[in-house]
Every structure is written in C-alpha cells, then in structure tokens.
Amino acid sequence: MSLSNRRKEVLSLYKRLLRLSQNWIPKDAINLCSDRLYIKNEATSIFRQNRNLTDDTAINDCIREGETRIDIALHYRNPYPRPVNVPPRAMAQKHRKYQGVNQETLNKD
C-alpha cells in the first residue's frame, strides 16, 4: 500500500476515534465526561507513541488493534480495555492478585 493511502487510513482511524469521544454515550450518565476524556486521551497518546512507525506490518497491527478496540467499546458500551483481551501477565500487580488463581489454573492445562 502506498504511503499516501496508509496515511489516509491512519488519519481516518484517528478522526473516527476523536468523533467517538465527542459522541460517546456511556451506560451510566455519571461517567460521560470521564469516558469521553479517556477515549480522547488514549487515542492521542497511542497515536503519538506510534507516529514514528515505518514497518508496514507494525502499522497494520496498530490499525487492526484500533479498529478492534472501537468495535469492542461500541459493543459493550465501555471504552476501557477488557481484562480478557489483555495478554496474560500484562496487568498491574494489584489486579493480578485477584486473578492469580484463575491464571494458575489456565497455565496448568
């Protein structure tokens, strides 16, 4: 894919995320401002973090991850990543103690 088309695709995804942050309607009206701010800040920080990527495979993976996160957020009406979608042992220590038994059971199988 040419650089021009790739750039258009990435910018389109970014605009889609920013529009989602403006139009987000959460399950609980209490979380409206915090959810919208989270979506905007998360999109901005991830796009800035990955702005120097040049490898086509890495760029495709990031685009696919962004589209997947949008689909999951819209389906579950929750913009935060779901723990089941996080790779094993990637959660913070304080959360792992609650899932430790389940994680050990999965690793034994």
Side-chain angles (χ1 to χ4, degrees):
M1 184 176 265
S2 72
L3 184 62
S4 175
N5 289 339
R6 173 81 61 205
R7 182 175 171 81
K8 287 179 184 176
E9 188 177 1
V10 170
L11 289 175
S12 173
L13 178 63
Y14 186 65
K15 288 178 185 177
R16 185 175 168 202
L17 283 163
L18 292 181
R19 270 190 244 112
L20 180 67
S21 73
Q22 293 172 348
N23 301 326
W24 182 257
I25 300 173
K27 286 182 183 178
D28 302 324
I30 298 169
N31 299 330
L32 178 65
C33 291
S34 63
D35 285 357
R36 287 181 174 180
L37 186 62
Y38 172 79
I39 294 169
K40 182 181 176 187
N41 289 341
E42 184 77 2
T44 304
S45 67
I46 289 175
F47 274 80
R48 284 186 180 162
Q49 177 183 355
N50 295 326
R51 72 178 165 203
N52 295 324
L53 287 178
T54 56
D55 181 33
D56 283 339
T57 308
I59 293 171
N60 283 337
D61 290 344
C62 289
I63 290 171
R64 194 173 328 116
E65 178 187 351
E67 291 171 348
T68 303
R69 286 184 68 173
I70 289 173
D71 292 341
I72 290 172
L74 291 173
H75 178 76
Y76 291 105
R77 314 252 318 153
N78 181 0
Y80 304 100
R82 296 172 49 92
V84 295
N85 297 330
V86 176
R89 295 178 178 73
M91 296 180 73
Q93 284 297 110
K94 66 181 181 178
H95 297 295
R96 284 167 96 198
K97 70 180 180 181
Y98 298 115
Q99 106 182 49
V101 175
N102 295 336
Q103 190 71 34
E104 290 172 8
T105 306
L106 290 173
N107 290 336
K108 288 181 182 176
D109 294 339

Short mmCIF file of all heavy atoms in Angstrom, two decimals, residues 19-48:
data_model
loop_
_atom_site.label_atom_id
_atom_site.label_comp_id
_atom_site.label_asym_id
_atom_site.label_seq_id
_atom_site.Cartn_x
_atom_site.Cartn_y
_atom_site.Cartn_z
N ARG A 19 -14.11 11.52 16.89
CA ARG A 19 -15.57 11.66 16.77
C ARG A 19 -16.29 10.79 17.80
O ARG A 19 -17.29 11.19 18.38
CB ARG A 19 -16.04 11.31 15.37
CG ARG A 19 -16.05 12.50 14.45
CD ARG A 19 -16.73 12.18 13.13
NE ARG A 19 -15.71 12.31 12.09
CZ ARG A 19 -15.21 11.33 11.37
NH1 ARG A 19 -15.64 10.12 11.49
NH2 ARG A 19 -14.27 11.56 10.49
N LEU A 20 -15.75 9.60 18.02
CA LEU A 20 -16.34 8.70 19.01
C LEU A 20 -16.26 9.33 20.40
O LEU A 20 -17.21 9.23 21.18
CB LEU A 20 -15.62 7.34 18.99
CG LEU A 20 -16.12 6.31 19.98
CD1 LEU A 20 -17.54 5.87 19.62
CD2 LEU A 20 -15.19 5.10 19.99
N SER A 21 -15.14 9.99 20.70
CA SER A 21 -15.01 10.63 22.02
C SER A 21 -16.01 11.77 22.19
O SER A 21 -16.49 12.01 23.30
CB SER A 21 -13.59 11.13 22.23
OG SER A 21 -13.32 12.27 21.45
N GLN A 22 -16.36 12.45 21.12
CA GLN A 22 -17.33 13.55 21.21
C GLN A 22 -18.76 13.05 21.30
O GLN A 22 -19.61 13.68 21.93
CB GLN A 22 -17.19 14.46 19.99
CG GLN A 22 -15.89 15.20 19.94
CD GLN A 22 -15.70 15.94 18.63
OE1 GLN A 22 -16.45 15.73 17.68
NE2 GLN A 22 -14.70 16.81 18.58
N ASN A 23 -19.05 11.92 20.66
CA ASN A 23 -20.41 11.41 20.60
C ASN A 23 -20.67 10.25 21.55
O ASN A 23 -21.74 9.64 21.47
CB ASN A 23 -20.72 10.95 19.17
CG ASN A 23 -20.58 12.07 18.17
OD1 ASN A 23 -20.85 13.22 18.48
ND2 ASN A 23 -20.12 11.75 16.98
N TRP A 24 -19.72 9.92 22.41
CA TRP A 24 -19.83 8.76 23.27
C TRP A 24 -21.00 8.92 24.24
O TRP A 24 -21.16 9.95 24.89
CB TRP A 24 -18.54 8.56 24.06
CG TRP A 24 -18.59 7.35 24.93
CD1 TRP A 24 -18.78 7.32 26.28
CD2 TRP A 24 -18.48 5.99 24.53
NE1 TRP A 24 -18.77 6.03 26.73
CE2 TRP A 24 -18.59 5.19 25.68
CE3 TRP A 24 -18.29 5.36 23.30
CZ2 TRP A 24 -18.51 3.81 25.63
CZ3 TRP A 24 -18.21 3.99 23.25
CH2 TRP A 24 -18.32 3.23 24.42
N ILE A 25 -21.81 7.87 24.33
CA ILE A 25 -22.90 7.83 25.30
C ILE A 25 -22.70 6.57 26.14
O ILE A 25 -22.91 5.46 25.66
CB ILE A 25 -24.28 7.79 24.61
CG1 ILE A 25 -24.46 9.04 23.74
CG2 ILE A 25 -25.40 7.70 25.64
CD1 ILE A 25 -25.70 9.01 22.90
N PRO A 26 -22.26 6.73 27.40
CA PRO A 26 -21.98 5.56 28.24
C PRO A 26 -23.26 4.95 28.80
O PRO A 26 -24.35 5.52 28.70
CB PRO A 26 -21.12 6.14 29.36
CG PRO A 26 -21.57 7.55 29.47
CD PRO A 26 -21.95 7.98 28.08
N LYS A 27 -23.08 3.78 29.40
CA LYS A 27 -24.21 3.13 30.07
C LYS A 27 -24.70 3.99 31.22
O LYS A 27 -25.89 4.16 31.42
CB LYS A 27 -23.79 1.76 30.62
CG LYS A 27 -23.61 0.69 29.60
CD LYS A 27 -23.24 -0.60 30.29
CE LYS A 27 -22.98 -1.71 29.30
NZ LYS A 27 -22.58 -2.95 29.96
N ASP A 28 -23.77 4.50 32.01
CA ASP A 28 -24.09 5.35 33.16
C ASP A 28 -23.81 6.81 32.81
O ASP A 28 -22.70 7.14 32.42
CB ASP A 28 -23.25 4.97 34.37
CG ASP A 28 -23.43 3.52 34.76
OD1 ASP A 28 -24.57 3.02 34.61
OD2 ASP A 28 -22.46 2.88 35.20
N ALA A 29 -24.80 7.66 32.97
CA ALA A 29 -24.63 9.08 32.64
C ALA A 29 -23.57 9.73 33.52
O ALA A 29 -22.99 10.75 33.14
CB ALA A 29 -25.95 9.80 32.78
N ILE A 30 -23.29 9.13 34.65
CA ILE A 30 -22.30 9.68 35.58
C ILE A 30 -20.91 9.69 34.94
O ILE A 30 -20.11 10.58 35.18
CB ILE A 30 -22.28 8.85 36.88
CG1 ILE A 30 -23.64 8.93 37.56
CG2 ILE A 30 -21.17 9.30 37.81
CD1 ILE A 30 -23.82 7.95 38.69
N ASN A 31 -20.63 8.70 34.10
CA ASN A 31 -19.29 8.54 33.52
C ASN A 31 -19.10 9.27 32.20
O ASN A 31 -18.07 9.08 31.55
CB ASN A 31 -19.00 7.05 33.30
CG ASN A 31 -19.03 6.27 34.59
OD1 ASN A 31 -18.72 6.80 35.64
ND2 ASN A 31 -19.41 5.02 34.50
N LEU A 32 -20.03 10.09 31.80
CA LEU A 32 -19.98 10.71 30.47
C LEU A 32 -18.68 11.47 30.24
O LEU A 32 -17.95 11.20 29.29
CB LEU A 32 -21.18 11.63 30.27
CG LEU A 32 -21.23 12.39 28.94
CD1 LEU A 32 -21.40 11.41 27.80
CD2 LEU A 32 -22.35 13.39 28.96
N CYS A 33 -18.36 12.42 31.10
CA CYS A 33 -17.17 13.25 30.90
C CYS A 33 -15.89 12.44 31.02
O CYS A 33 -14.97 12.61 30.22
CB CYS A 33 -17.15 14.40 31.90
SG CYS A 33 -18.45 15.61 31.60
N SER A 34 -15.83 11.56 32.00
CA SER A 34 -14.59 10.78 32.19
C SER A 34 -14.37 9.80 31.04
O SER A 34 -13.23 9.62 30.60
CB SER A 34 -14.63 10.04 33.53
OG SER A 34 -15.68 9.10 33.56
N ASP A 35 -15.42 9.18 30.54
CA ASP A 35 -15.27 8.26 29.41
C ASP A 35 -14.84 8.99 28.14
O ASP A 35 -13.96 8.53 27.42
CB ASP A 35 -16.58 7.52 29.13
CG ASP A 35 -16.88 6.44 30.15
OD1 ASP A 35 -16.04 6.21 31.05
OD2 ASP A 35 -17.94 5.82 30.04
N ARG A 36 -15.45 10.13 27.87
CA ARG A 36 -15.08 10.91 26.69
C ARG A 36 -13.63 11.38 26.76
O ARG A 36 -12.89 11.31 25.78
CB ARG A 36 -16.01 12.10 26.52
CG ARG A 36 -17.39 11.72 26.05
CD ARG A 36 -18.28 12.92 25.86
NE ARG A 36 -19.55 12.52 25.27
CZ ARG A 36 -20.52 13.35 25.00
NH1 ARG A 36 -20.39 14.64 25.25
NH2 ARG A 36 -21.64 12.90 24.46
N LEU A 37 -13.24 11.84 27.93
CA LEU A 37 -11.87 12.30 28.11
C LEU A 37 -10.88 11.13 27.98
O LEU A 37 -9.82 11.27 27.38
CB LEU A 37 -11.72 12.98 29.48
CG LEU A 37 -10.38 13.63 29.76
CD1 LEU A 37 -10.12 14.75 28.77
CD2 LEU A 37 -10.34 14.15 31.18
N TYR A 38 -11.26 9.97 28.52
CA TYR A 38 -10.40 8.79 28.40
C TYR A 38 -10.19 8.40 26.94
O TYR A 38 -9.06 8.13 26.51
CB TYR A 38 -10.99 7.60 29.17
CG TYR A 38 -10.23 6.33 28.90
CD1 TYR A 38 -9.04 6.07 29.54
CD2 TYR A 38 -10.70 5.40 27.98
CE1 TYR A 38 -8.31 4.92 29.27
CE2 TYR A 38 -9.99 4.25 27.70
CZ TYR A 38 -8.80 4.01 28.37
OH TYR A 38 -8.09 2.87 28.09
N ILE A 39 -11.25 8.37 26.16
CA ILE A 39 -11.14 7.98 24.75
C ILE A 39 -10.22 8.95 24.01
O ILE A 39 -9.32 8.54 23.26
CB ILE A 39 -12.53 7.94 24.08
CG1 ILE A 39 -13.38 6.83 24.69
CG2 ILE A 39 -12.40 7.73 22.58
CD1 ILE A 39 -14.84 6.89 24.29
N LYS A 40 -10.42 10.24 24.23
CA LYS A 40 -9.60 11.25 23.54
C LYS A 40 -8.14 11.14 23.96
O LYS A 40 -7.24 11.13 23.12
CB LYS A 40 -10.14 12.64 23.84
CG LYS A 40 -9.37 13.73 23.14
CD LYS A 40 -9.94 15.08 23.49
CE LYS A 40 -9.08 16.17 22.85
NZ LYS A 40 -9.48 17.49 23.28
N ASN A 41 -7.88 11.06 25.26
CA ASN A 41 -6.50 10.99 25.75
C ASN A 41 -5.81 9.70 25.32
O ASN A 41 -4.63 9.72 24.97
CB ASN A 41 -6.46 11.13 27.27
CG ASN A 41 -6.80 12.53 27.73
OD1 ASN A 41 -6.74 13.48 26.95
ND2 ASN A 41 -7.18 12.65 28.98
N GLU A 42 -6.52 8.60 25.36
CA GLU A 42 -5.95 7.31 24.96
C GLU A 42 -5.59 7.32 23.48
O GLU A 42 -4.50 6.89 23.08
CB GLU A 42 -6.94 6.18 25.27
CG GLU A 42 -6.43 4.80 24.99
CD GLU A 42 -5.47 4.28 26.05
OE1 GLU A 42 -5.21 4.98 27.05
OE2 GLU A 42 -4.98 3.16 25.86
N ALA A 43 -6.48 7.83 22.65
CA ALA A 43 -6.21 7.90 21.21
C ALA A 43 -5.01 8.80 20.93
O ALA A 43 -4.10 8.42 20.18
CB ALA A 43 -7.44 8.40 20.46
N THR A 44 -5.00 9.96 21.54
CA THR A 44 -3.90 10.90 21.31
C THR A 44 -2.57 10.32 21.75
O THR A 44 -1.58 10.39 21.01
CB THR A 44 -4.18 12.22 22.05
OG1 THR A 44 -5.44 12.73 21.63
CG2 THR A 44 -3.10 13.24 21.77
N SER A 45 -2.52 9.74 22.93
CA SER A 45 -1.25 9.22 23.43
C SER A 45 -0.75 8.02 22.61
O SER A 45 0.44 7.93 22.30
CB SER A 45 -1.36 8.84 24.91
OG SER A 45 -2.24 7.75 25.08
N ILE A 46 -1.65 7.13 22.20
CA ILE A 46 -1.22 5.97 21.42
C ILE A 46 -0.76 6.40 20.02
O ILE A 46 0.25 5.90 19.52
CB ILE A 46 -2.34 4.92 21.35
CG1 ILE A 46 -2.50 4.26 22.72
CG2 ILE A 46 -2.04 3.86 20.30
CD1 ILE A 46 -3.63 3.29 22.82
N PHE A 47 -1.48 7.31 19.40
CA PHE A 47 -1.07 7.77 18.07
C PHE A 47 0.27 8.52 18.13
O PHE A 47 1.11 8.35 17.25
CB PHE A 47 -2.15 8.63 17.43
CG PHE A 47 -3.17 7.83 16.70
CD1 PHE A 47 -4.20 7.19 17.37
CD2 PHE A 47 -3.11 7.68 15.33
CE1 PHE A 47 -5.15 6.43 16.71
CE2 PHE A 47 -4.04 6.93 14.64
CZ PHE A 47 -5.06 6.30 15.34
N ARG A 48 0.48 9.31 19.18
CA ARG A 48 1.78 9.99 19.32
C ARG A 48 2.90 9.00 19.59
O ARG A 48 4.01 9.16 19.11
CB ARG A 48 1.70 11.02 20.43
CG ARG A 48 0.96 12.25 20.02
CD ARG A 48 1.01 13.32 21.05
NE ARG A 48 0.27 14.49 20.58
CZ ARG A 48 -0.17 15.44 21.36
NH1 ARG A 48 0.05 15.40 22.66
NH2 ARG A 48 -0.83 16.46 20.86
#
